[in-house]
Amino acid sequence: MAATAYPASSTAPVAARPDWVFAYGSLMWNPGFATPRSLPARLPGWHRAFCIRSEHYRGTKEAPGLILGLLPGGVCRGVIHRLPRDGYDVVRKYLWDREILNDGVYLETVRPVTLADGAKVEALVYLANRDHLQYAGKLPQTEAVRLIRQGVGVTGRNLDYLVNTVEQLEAHGFRDPSLHALLEAVRRSLVRPGSKAPAAS
């Protein structure tokens, strides 16, 4: 049975009906639906990077933030959430609206992911759309810090997005050196002499 065709986007939803969705950013801590099960997983051949300017969720057109996308190369460690059998199409549409509809900065696809025991499953994955106007590529750290510091959108501060991602990775025993280094750089930029680094809310 084909997946529902959701309107108002330049890309089409994939026809496959995978049982899982791969989370590597905000989907890790805020999937937005009741998942029956979540498991640590890794996506080979792709890596996370702060490479998309956010003009909706974590920034505005006037003061964009910077959010994560998946780019070719390496391995990305994250979490897979099981999609519920009851209301499957409702959750798929929710994910489409969340990841595609507002900005169109991601491409929906299905990729094999590897679990901790070596087993492989097919999962829904959202890749960075490198043809999109908001695609920023890999920016110098100073520019990434600037965008993350200024970004505030409908779902909150860009800094909180970065902090929550790092905390989720650590909770699962993962470490992403580039994200940890970026967070430290942002915190250093916010510290005045004689003060402590601010905590995220």
Side-chain angles (χ1 to χ4, degrees):
M1 182 178 178
T4 304
Y6 313 130
S9 175
S10 60
T11 59
V14 296
R17 293 175 65 85
D19 293 328
W20 304 87
V21 60
F22 180 72
Y24 57 92
S26 62
L27 277 174
M28 287 195 294
W29 73 84
N30 181 28
F33 63 92
T35 175
R37 193 179 187 191
S38 298
L39 297 170
R42 62 185 186 275
L43 175 67
W46 299 85
H47 67 280
R48 67 167 58 78
F50 273 91
C51 62
I52 297 171
R53 291 186 176 87
S54 178
E55 298 179 353
H56 180 71
Y57 287 120
R58 298 290 173 170
T60 64
K61 289 184 181 297
E62 296 73 24
L66 194 65
I67 55 176
L68 290 164
L70 287 173
L71 298 179
V75 176
C76 181
R77 295 182 179 274
V79 175
I80 54 171
H81 299 303
R82 182 93 182 191
L83 302 180
R85 292 184 178 178
D86 293 337
Y88 180 94
D89 287 334
V90 172
V91 171
R92 280 292 299 271
K93 185 179 187 306
Y94 160 76
L95 290 171
W96 177 267
D97 290 348
R98 170 174 170 162
E99 303 296 328
I100 307 292
L101 188 57
N102 283 309
D103 292 323
V105 295
Y106 297 105
L107 299 175
E108 187 180 76
T109 186
V110 175
R111 292 285 188 275
V113 298
T114 306
L115 306 183
D117 63 1
K120 296 182 185 298
V121 299
E122 295 287 312
L124 196 65
V125 176
Y126 292 98
L127 308 175
N129 181 356
R130 287 172 282 164
D131 293 326
H132 198 280
L133 290 176
Q134 289 170 229
Y135 175 69
K138 293 187 177 181
L139 297 171
Q141 189 182 80
T142 53
E143 177 64 4
V145 167
R146 185 186 71 82
L147 291 172
I148 290 171
R149 283 187 56 172
Q150 78 174 11
V152 181
V154 297
T155 55
R157 296 194 305 167
N158 206 155
L159 175 57
D160 295 336
Y161 173 90
L162 171 56
V163 169
N164 288 337
T165 301
V166 170
E167 289 180 347
Q168 280 294 305
L169 291 173
E170 291 177 344
H172 290 285
F174 302 150
R175 183 174 178 83
D176 188 317
S178 64
L179 263 64
H180 282 75
L182 181 58
L183 177 56
E184 287 305 311
V186 173
R187 283 175 166 164
R188 285 196 304 270
S189 76
L190 292 169
V191 175
R192 296 178 180 176
S195 64
K196 295 182 180 180
S201 61

